Amino acid sequence: APLDEIRGAELVEFPYDLQIQGDYHAVGRFLAEVVNLPRLVRPSVLALEGIEIAPATETLDAEYEILATLLLSTFVPAGLILAETEIEGTAAASAGGSTDAS
């Protein structure tokens, strides 16, 4: 779920709270792909929990997966956010039209 943005002097952080579940290697592959994205993304692992997905039997051990709770943040230069806001404001004003007859 998206969380409130955090505005800094140079960057705006867009954090997301998420959970992923899978075997050990799948969770590791996901995190490796996240850190190799073309934009600046920071994953912070908040918790790892073993989840039993199949109980033990007389002949087999129990099977587990990992439930990872993450805070995933992406960053955008603050100047881009300000410029985008100004463009949206100008577009909204233009769409409203003007009744000024001067």
Side-chain angles (χ1 to χ4, degrees):
L3 303 173
D4 292 337
E5 67 185 48
I6 302 166
R7 291 187 175 265
E10 296 184 26
L11 294 173
V12 179
E13 178 179 355
F14 293 92
Y16 299 87
D17 182 29
L18 64 120
Q19 290 186 319
I20 58 170
Q21 183 175 332
D23 67 33
Y24 178 83
H25 296 289
V27 171
R29 279 190 303 273
F30 172 80
L31 291 172
E33 288 181 24
V34 165
V35 297
N36 287 315
L37 288 171
R39 42 180 344 157
L40 181 58
V41 179
R42 179 184 63 203
S44 302
V45 177
L46 303 177
L48 294 174
E49 180 182 347
I51 304 292
E52 186 176 13
I53 59 169
T57 65
E58 288 183 22
T59 57
L60 298 171
D61 290 335
E63 291 185 42
Y64 290 89
E65 287 187 340
I66 293 175
L67 175 65
T69 302
L70 307 169
L71 179 65
L72 191 70
S73 294
T74 186
F75 300 85
V76 176
L80 288 179
I81 300 296
L82 293 175
E84 188 174 291
T85 303
E86 291 169 1
I87 290 169
E88 288 173 0
T90 303
S94 297
S98 176
T99 56
D100 186 30
S102 34

